[in-house]
Amino acid sequence: PEDNKKFVFWSIQLKPVYEVQMQDKIQNFEKLHPEYKVEWIDIPINEAQKRTLASILSDNPPDLVNLNPQFSLLLAQKDTLYIFDEEDLEQFDPKLVNQLKFEDKIYALPFYATSAVTIYNKQDYDRCFNQKPFIKTFDELFEISDEFYACTNIAPFAGSLNENDTLAKILAKYDVNYFKDEREKNNAFELFSKFNNMYKKEQLPKDILTLSHREIIEKYMSNQASIIVAGANFINMIKKSSPDIYEKSQIALQLTGKNRKYDISLMNLIIPKRSKNIDLALEFALMLTNEDNQLEFAKLTNVLPANKYALADDYFKNCSEDLYDKSRCISAQQLTDVENGEIEKNQTTVNEAINKTFEEVLLDKNSTDKTIKEKIEKLSQEIKKIRQN
């Protein structure tokens, strides 16, 4: 029957930037498999999860889907995904593959990565700290925040601390993953109380608990924050919308913690178990992520390839001093030292619990060391329960 000859691929917001190139790949693929017609559907990011879940649980899912690891993991836990073999993984950066494991099985192929960089007002920083080298860690941020604020009267730092997994990622840089032992709880206490300290002294924006990524950039562009950690894709936005702030800006490695590891955001490709064309889906996924195609994709979109050969290209080693260009080399450098990001089941619920506790600490006008420690103890118990479910 006719409908067996359709191969369906869903992506997330690749149009219009990658449209022409993708159509080209599709035509080449159809030449190799003339009996198939590729149907490419590009979905807005805010609809991706809902539409994917409904389709994967149906009898007629797409053959290949572009998703994020957290949501892919949920699907893997429901046993709805094809599991990849070692030989399918040869072309990928092993550190990225590691982030897509559940119970030691690989449930997705990495598609591309991004790694945020630190963007800061160099003019202010140099004026306040007399040409001292820029900070590298959150600890150093806490150390300089009083002086920086006194010097500029501007919040030294703005971040989307309560959005999704931002806080969990900062905690992981201090080896706090599950709040399970005293060392982890002490590290968490230190971070929470230092951020709380900054917040109470107005060294973080008042609305830090509700800021989206875009709003952080706006704070930076309107000179209401001196340091932000953000995706390289925002650099051009600053250049366009606020050329005077852009002129004063510089970029540096992402702020890290005690373990000096960087975090990344990853997009991946999954094959539903009920796909009618599993072999074709694998072939199409490996074609999309081969060295040439990944390099082309990275050049168009300023993301990092998941293909290790593409990542080794000089394009990620030789960058000019232009901030957008330079961010590419910094991001690629960060990929050599990433958090082992194997995701826990129920990670989203864990993140929500962390964010809620952090919010309680910041909004409590009378937070003391004792009350913060109690809240962290309570959070530790809650996470233990979540992980047992």
Side-chain angles (χ1 to χ4, degrees):
E2 195 55 28
D3 64 348
N4 280 355
K5 296 299 177 191
K6 199 162 66 175
F7 173 79
V8 184
F9 169 50
W10 285 11
S11 63
I12 296 178
Q13 271 177 245
L14 294 185
K15 291 178 180 177
V17 180
Y18 200 55
E19 189 162 4
V20 174
Q21 291 76 6
M22 182 63 86
Q23 294 295 3
D24 189 43
K25 316 268 172 281
I26 287 171
Q27 278 176 351
N28 290 340
F29 195 74
E30 287 175 342
K31 277 181 197 149
L32 290 173
H33 303 280
E35 68 281 23
Y36 281 89
K37 190 94 194 102
V38 176
E39 186 180 311
W40 172 33
I41 298 173
D42 196 51
I43 298 173
I45 197 151
N46 52 351
E47 287 175 26
Q49 298 196 358
K50 207 167 69 194
R51 281 177 67 172
T52 305
L53 188 61
S55 75
I56 280 196
L57 298 175
S58 76
D59 284 334
N60 203 15
D63 296 301
L64 183 67
V65 188
N66 162 205
L67 281 178
N68 67 30
Q70 287 81 350
F71 190 59
S72 304
L73 176 65
L74 282 179
L75 298 173
Q77 287 165 351
K78 292 181 192 296
D79 195 26
T80 58
L81 301 186
Y82 170 80
I83 299 297
F84 294 91
D85 292 332
E86 285 297 319
E87 58 262 30
D88 302 333
L89 309 170
E90 195 280 323
Q91 66 189 20
F92 298 103
D93 183 308
K95 287 185 290 301
L96 300 183
V97 172
N98 251 349
Q99 313 241 340
L100 300 171
K101 273 184 181 166
F102 171 57
E103 293 178 344
D104 250 8
K105 296 189 179 91
I106 308 287
Y107 57 83
L109 297 178
F111 186 15
Y112 62 89
T114 52
S115 187
V117 296
T118 304
I119 305 172
Y120 68 102
N121 189 317
K122 186 179 188 321
Q123 192 172 320
D124 281 355
Y125 190 86
D126 287 350
R127 180 168 58 81
C128 298
F129 297 108
N130 199 10
Q131 314 291 327
K132 255 186 12 199
F134 184 67
I135 57 172
K136 291 190 165 77
T137 65
F138 281 99
D139 292 314
E140 291 174 55
L141 171 69
F142 301 135
E143 276 164 31
I144 65 160
S145 60
D146 284 348
E147 200 180 328
F148 205 4
Y149 183 63
C151 169
T152 60
N153 209 25
I154 296 165
F157 179 76
S160 53
L161 291 181
N162 236 17
E163 195 176 51
N164 306 332
D165 57 354
T166 306
L167 198 55
K169 282 178 168 173
I170 295 174
L171 285 160
K173 295 175 181 204
Y174 288 82
D175 296 318
V176 180
N177 295 303
Y178 313 121
F179 289 78
K180 61 177 187 294
D181 56 29
E182 287 314 304
R183 186 186 53 86
E184 283 198 29
K185 286 188 273 196
N186 288 337
N187 286 354
F189 163 74
E190 227 170 277
L191 266 178
F192 278 31
S193 57
K194 282 176 177 169
F195 273 125
N196 178 53
N197 200 10
M198 280 182 80
Y199 185 70
K200 300 287 195 279
K201 292 177 176 174
E202 296 185 356
Q203 295 170 6
L204 297 172
K206 274 200 166 49
D207 49 357
I208 189 118
L209 292 170
T210 56
L211 291 178
S212 68
H213 286 307
R214 185 170 282 268
E215 287 164 336
I216 290 159
I217 309 299
E218 281 158 10
K219 291 264 183 227
Y220 181 75
M221 293 193 298
S222 56
N223 213 21
Q224 294 177 62
S226 300
I227 301 169
I228 55 173
V229 177
N233 49 323
F234 287 111
I235 292 169
N236 277 348
M237 186 171 143
I238 298 169
K239 189 177 188 175
K240 237 191 258 138
S241 309
S242 188
D244 53 327
I245 293 286
Y246 178 82
E247 283 307 311
K248 301 172 183 171
S249 296
Q250 187 48 269
I251 59 169
L253 288 159
Q254 187 187 110
L255 290 181
T256 60
K258 283 193 166 65
N259 60 21
R260 293 293 202 266
K261 299 270 192 217
Y262 302 100
D263 64 62
I264 56 166
S265 295
L266 190 57
M267 288 301 254
N268 56 238
L269 297 164
I270 55 144
I271 302 175
K273 242 187 187 172
R274 291 180 177 170
S275 154
K276 296 187 171 62
N277 302 299
I278 285 180
D279 291 349
L280 272 189
L282 181 58
E283 187 186 332
F284 193 83
L286 293 176
M287 177 220 36
L288 274 187
T289 51
N290 72 26
E291 185 179 350
D292 292 348
N293 289 339
Q294 285 258 291
L295 201 50
E296 172 193 66
F297 183 62
K299 286 178 179 178
L300 272 171
T301 55
N302 205 31
V303 299
L304 298 170
N307 181 296
K308 63 184 179 192
Y309 306 111
L311 203 52
D313 193 90
D314 281 348
Y315 179 69
F316 298 100
K317 298 188 182 76
N318 305 334
C319 298
S320 73
E321 278 303 301
D322 170 80
L323 297 190
Y324 186 73
D325 210 38
K326 189 176 172 180
S327 70
R328 174 177 76 243
C329 283
I330 289 182
S331 295
Q333 185 188 335
Q334 289 173 177
L335 267 200
T336 57
D337 222 348
V338 297
E339 273 295 330
N340 169 26
E342 198 171 317
I343 303 172
E344 275 287 295
K345 71 174 198 165
N346 304 335
Q347 186 72 51
T348 310
T349 319
V350 169
N351 293 346
E352 282 163 7
I354 293 172
N355 293 348
K356 189 168 159 287
T357 304
F358 186 67
E359 192 172 308
E360 285 170 9
V361 168
L362 261 54
L363 296 180
D364 176 358
K365 287 195 170 56
N366 309 312
S367 279
T368 61
D369 284 0
K370 184 172 179 290
T371 61
I372 296 173
K373 278 187 171 144
E374 282 164 2
K375 286 185 171 108
I376 282 176
E377 189 50 55
K378 200 173 133 205
L379 174 62
S380 161
Q381 298 307 318
E382 198 182 335
I383 290 176
K384 195 171 164 182
K385 276 196 197 113
I386 294 168
R387 292 181 72 221
Q388 281 163 355
N389 277 341

